[in-house]
Amino acid sequence: MDASASCLIQNYARLPVTFTRGEGVWLWDDEGRRYLDAAAGIAVCNLGHAHPAVTEALCRQARLVTHTSNLYRIEAQEKLAVELARISGLEAAFFCNSGAEANEAAIKIARLAARANGNEQPLIAVAQGAFHGRTLGAWSATDPLGEHPYTPPPRAPGFIPIPFGDIGALEKAADETPGLCAVMLEPIQGENGVRIPAEGTLRAVRELCDKRGLLLILDEVQTGLCRTGAWYCFEHERITPDLLTTAKALGNGVPIGACLTRRETAKHLAPGAHGSTFGGNPLACATALAVVDTMEKEKLHEQAARTGEYLLDGLRRALAAVSSVADIRGRGLLIGIELDRPCKFLAQTALEHELLINVTVEQVIRLAPPLILDQAQADLLIERLAATIQTFEKDS
């Protein structure tokens, strides 16, 4: 159907391709062309497409019951909460449908905890360049200085912007901001071009929060679930946050999100304080249990670390002589290739080379392929991406 004739609101700049099936790291369009997926639905399909364990879990649960509501106990939800507590080191979970909703829950919990301690105007420090979602609260915590190209109003108050990775600025804000109750960060800024803070930054933030009595909220919607070579990115610095948000890869394409927290903080979400009609439904939780189990059995955190290092090294060698490439950075299988010029149409150019990529902040190619990517497929990704950038350079 022609986009002009569509009944859809045109709030997405969709590329001219429709996919009809997938398998592993591959997607096929409606004309039968096969594409190497180096985006994974923006870090969602970490197990790849049509993974047998996910398919089986979905079908098995769909034959039993898909929804009952949170008025009743949900066995799969309780089991999933236990598994997420085990792999994260936290103790309690609230389930919802997306990363933005998980971040909304974390913001609410932090503010409720502050008010319980007599802070009637709680404020949360957030990072410049952050992205936490497009719901009102999450959007208000997103890049408060408006540096993203898409930053329309409205925004809710209650957030203090701090330069990303600047411990001195955070310490100054803690000294000078009455009502500061929490710090909310992405361990790696994905939407802002795969920005990785200096080693030791997260540990320094954790120590500052402990010293000043602040809650540490980590948004691992994109970096979580083995993406960076660990279950969660915070593990690289051997810390644990007070609240953790996780989603995207948790359902491998089935909508689910979770806000994980310590038990003492979880008490602030009493009955009626927060909720979700579909959050933690049997279908989503059964699928997520299969995802976590498969990731653990296949040791995907180890594979992501190993293949990510191989891919980074290969990209640096293949693109060393490409004049437009300014930087290549990453951790695990979350990689950013920064060009020296805007390249927002590069994702469409990549389609010509049967490759799916994502471009963010107008000039950073963000790669987040399925974690099942093997070295032969990584070599093909490098070859097709190099050809894509060379095509772009020739035409620009």
Side-chain angles (χ1 to χ4, degrees):
M1 178 184 291
D2 189 293
S4 62
S6 174
C7 293
L8 295 172
I9 293 175
Q10 299 301 305
N11 60 315
Y12 296 103
R14 300 180 195 270
L15 294 173
V17 61
T18 300
F19 298 110
T20 56
R21 70 182 182 93
E23 182 179 342
V25 301
W26 306 102
L27 280 169
W28 284 262
D29 69 12
D30 53 3
E31 296 180 351
R33 294 181 69 192
R34 188 180 77 159
Y35 300 78
L36 178 58
D37 186 1
I42 314 181
V44 167
C45 296
N46 282 12
L47 297 182
H49 302 283
H51 192 285
V54 175
T55 301
E56 173 57 28
L58 270 168
C59 293
R60 183 172 60 248
Q61 188 60 47
R63 285 192 291 265
L64 297 173
V65 60
T66 60
H67 178 77
T68 58
S69 96
N70 284 298
L71 294 174
Y72 314 102
R73 288 184 58 194
I74 299 172
E75 184 180 12
Q77 185 183 125
E78 293 173 357
K79 288 180 178 179
L80 181 59
V82 169
E83 287 299 289
L84 292 179
R86 178 178 63 83
I87 64 175
S88 70
L90 293 166
E91 299 164 319
F94 166 79
F95 289 104
C96 50
N97 309 288
S98 68
E101 289 178 55
N103 285 330
E104 291 281 350
I107 291 165
K108 181 180 281 189
I109 290 171
R111 289 179 171 175
L112 287 171
R115 285 178 177 155
N117 290 323
N119 180 353
E120 290 300 321
Q121 293 185 314
L123 300 172
I124 298 174
V126 293
Q128 295 172 18
F131 184 86
H132 297 296
R134 291 182 175 87
T135 51
L136 181 58
W139 186 251
S140 301
T142 289
D143 196 7
L145 296 187
E147 294 175 358
H148 279 307
Y150 39 85
T151 51
R155 289 176 180 270
F159 300 96
I160 305 296
I162 304 295
F164 182 56
D166 190 333
I167 298 300
L170 181 58
E171 190 166 10
K172 187 171 186 284
D175 288 337
E176 299 178 356
T177 309
L180 192 67
C181 70
V183 178
M184 184 174 189
L185 297 170
E186 301 155 277
I188 296 173
Q189 290 189 333
E191 198 68 27
N192 196 30
V194 191
R195 303 291 174 184
I196 305 171
E199 187 175 351
T201 298
L202 276 186
R203 176 165 290 280
V205 174
R206 174 73 275 178
E207 290 171 356
L208 178 62
C209 287
D210 289 341
K211 187 190 301 183
R212 303 301 177 87
L214 306 174
L215 295 175
L216 175 58
I217 305 167
L218 291 185
D219 175 348
E220 294 232 30
V221 169
Q222 188 164 148
T223 55
L225 295 160
C226 303
R227 173 60 55 187
T228 68
W231 275 110
Y232 288 99
C233 193
F234 68 77
E235 295 176 44
H236 295 297
E237 297 211 7
R238 299 180 182 177
I239 66 164
T240 304
D242 300 296
L243 295 108
L244 173 71
T245 58
T246 186
K248 281 190 179 290
L250 186 55
N252 209 64
V254 174
I256 184 171
C259 175
L260 311 178
T261 183
R262 301 184 189 277
R263 202 171 299 282
E264 63 192 41
T265 313
K267 68 184 181 183
H268 298 290
L269 279 197
H274 201 55
S276 171
T277 297
F278 298 108
N281 68 70
L283 188 68
C285 287
T287 305
L289 280 166
V291 168
V292 171
D293 180 62
T294 302
M295 286 182 170
E296 190 158 40
K297 285 179 178 176
E298 298 185 4
K299 298 182 179 179
L300 284 189
H301 64 293
E302 295 179 4
Q303 182 164 339
R306 186 170 55 249
T307 309
E309 185 177 349
Y310 180 86
L311 187 57
L312 265 176
D313 182 62
L315 286 166
R316 285 169 177 155
R317 283 187 283 104
L319 300 176
V322 180
S323 61
S324 63
V325 175
D327 189 29
I328 301 174
R329 53 186 177 262
R331 189 154 207 171
L333 280 171
L334 181 60
I335 294 172
I337 299 132
E338 184 169 356
L339 302 191
D340 64 1
R341 66 199 73 174
C343 60
K344 63 181 179 180
F345 298 113
L346 199 62
Q348 183 160 346
T349 304
L351 294 178
E352 300 168 16
H353 299 276
E354 298 181 331
L355 177 67
L356 305 181
I357 61 172
N358 178 253
V359 174
T360 186
V361 290
E362 296 197 331
Q363 62 189 69
V364 178
I365 302 164
R366 177 175 51 181
L367 302 179
L371 306 186
I372 60 171
L373 186 81
D374 62 29
Q375 288 190 357
Q377 293 162 345
D379 287 335
L380 188 58
L381 193 166
I382 293 165
E383 177 187 320
R384 292 185 180 184
L385 183 60
T388 296
I389 296 174
Q390 287 161 3
T391 300
F392 165 75
E393 274 199 345
K394 186 170 60 177
D395 295 342
S396 63

